[in-house]
Amino acid sequence: MRQGAQGSAETGTPWAAGPSGASAPSRASGPSGQFRVPRQAGDVRGEHTHSEPPAPVAPPGRPVVQRASVRGQILDALRAALVAGDLRPGEVYSAPVLGERFGVSATPVREAMQQLALEGAVEVVPNRGFRVVERGVRELGELAEVRALIEVPVMLRLALTVPAERWAELRPLAEATVRAASSGCRATYAESDRGFHRAVLSLSGNVQLVRIAEDLHRRAQWPLVGGGRGVRGRAELLADAHEHTALLDALVARDLDVVRALVGEHFAGAAAAG
């Protein structure tokens, strides 16, 4: 198994231990190489912390964590770090080190990591922390197939039953995904992308369907081993986002063939980008 992350507490620079044990800088989510704490709001004990990388801090002048709903904010921050590639597949991170850098105790970090373990994003490494799960292209393709099986029939039914004015209410969300894609930030786009799909599927009135689809969608946004999904740049994100506005046009027109093709291509394109 791969060794856990190592680094220097003095410099605050994250390091990733390679196969030979040599160190190399980890990828950063922004100009300062720091995890971003979102604006909105079974423990594993005894993790070793002396040889791990300190987790990046929040940008200067920005509160690390609001005390209300600390666990939820930490969970959002860790999810964003996963999508951005700051939590790298195969590497181990401990709750005490992450908690120190977020300015909270290890407990809410452990709780957030346990949730990520339930979602399949990380796995528990006894007495060390949590390892980010390594995924391959095949898994991403399987997720795309399952998402299509769930969402395509629902959208085809909604195209025949939802009036045009209801689709018009979702136009701002589709436009928001384009703006998010323009930023080039994968974590920002991922959140906006999920928001649009969630709003569309919510028109079905099926809460369980929305919940399952959201979970599959989130899993499809995690990076692949080797950073395959990390190569997705601004142009790819924009192309993906513009499919949302095209889908709304097809839903308003009740063009079932176009709806089916767009949703299928949307999922296939996301899988291929991995």
Side-chain angles (χ1 to χ4, degrees):
M1 303 295 286
R2 295 183 59 178
Q3 296 300 313
Q6 297 179 336
S8 167
E10 288 78 9
T11 62
T13 303
W15 300 92
S20 64
S23 295
S26 67
R27 290 189 305 154
S29 63
S32 58
Q34 298 164 335
F35 286 176
R36 300 182 309 119
V37 176
R39 287 183 289 272
Q40 74 273 19
D43 284 354
V44 174
R45 303 295 182 182
E47 296 99 327
H48 296 293
T49 63
H50 58 276
S51 62
E52 278 200 39
V57 297
R62 189 176 185 181
V64 176
V65 172
Q66 298 296 324
R67 287 298 166 183
S69 188
V70 172
R71 175 187 173 277
Q73 291 186 63
I74 293 296
L75 180 58
D76 286 343
L78 293 174
R79 282 171 169 167
L82 275 170
V83 174
D86 294 315
L87 295 178
R88 300 170 64 178
E91 294 187 11
V92 177
Y93 299 87
S94 80
V97 168
L98 290 172
E100 180 180 355
R101 301 303 289 189
F102 278 127
V104 300
S105 71
T107 299
V109 179
R110 283 196 191 96
E111 292 172 348
M113 280 293 200
Q114 289 287 359
Q115 177 60 37
L116 291 178
L118 291 175
E119 295 174 4
V122 302
E123 57 188 7
V124 175
V125 181
N127 299 318
R128 290 181 60 197
F130 301 84
R131 177 182 288 109
V132 179
V133 171
E134 298 178 277
R135 307 187 313 138
V137 175
R138 177 175 178 175
E139 181 178 344
L140 195 60
E142 290 173 348
L143 285 168
E145 182 179 1
V146 176
R147 289 185 66 203
L149 289 172
I150 292 176
E151 295 194 33
V152 170
V154 174
M155 290 192 186
L156 292 176
R157 175 166 58 85
L158 293 176
L160 296 176
T161 58
V162 174
E165 56 267 24
R166 293 297 304 277
W167 294 123
E169 295 173 1
L170 302 188
R171 186 74 60 177
L173 291 177
E175 294 170 350
T177 67
V178 176
R179 291 194 298 272
S182 298
S183 72
C185 174
R186 294 189 300 278
T188 299
Y189 178 70
E191 183 176 352
S192 183
D193 183 29
R194 289 196 311 275
F196 173 79
H197 283 265
R198 182 170 56 248
V200 171
L201 294 178
S202 292
L203 294 177
S204 70
N206 189 326
V207 175
Q208 299 305 316
L209 180 145
V210 173
R211 184 176 300 168
I212 292 171
E214 173 98 354
D215 178 65
L216 292 169
H217 195 167
R218 192 184 303 280
R219 289 169 182 257
Q221 294 173 330
W222 298 335
L224 300 182
V225 61
R229 200 173 167 80
V231 300
R232 245 188 144 194
R234 181 175 177 273
E236 290 79 12
L237 295 180
L238 278 170
D240 194 74
H242 283 300
E243 290 177 355
H244 295 148
T245 56
L247 175 61
L248 279 184
D249 291 338
L251 289 167
V252 170
R254 298 191 170 182
D255 191 329
L256 301 188
D257 290 336
V258 174
V259 170
R260 184 182 294 105
L262 279 172
V263 178
E265 292 172 2
H266 190 63
F267 295 158

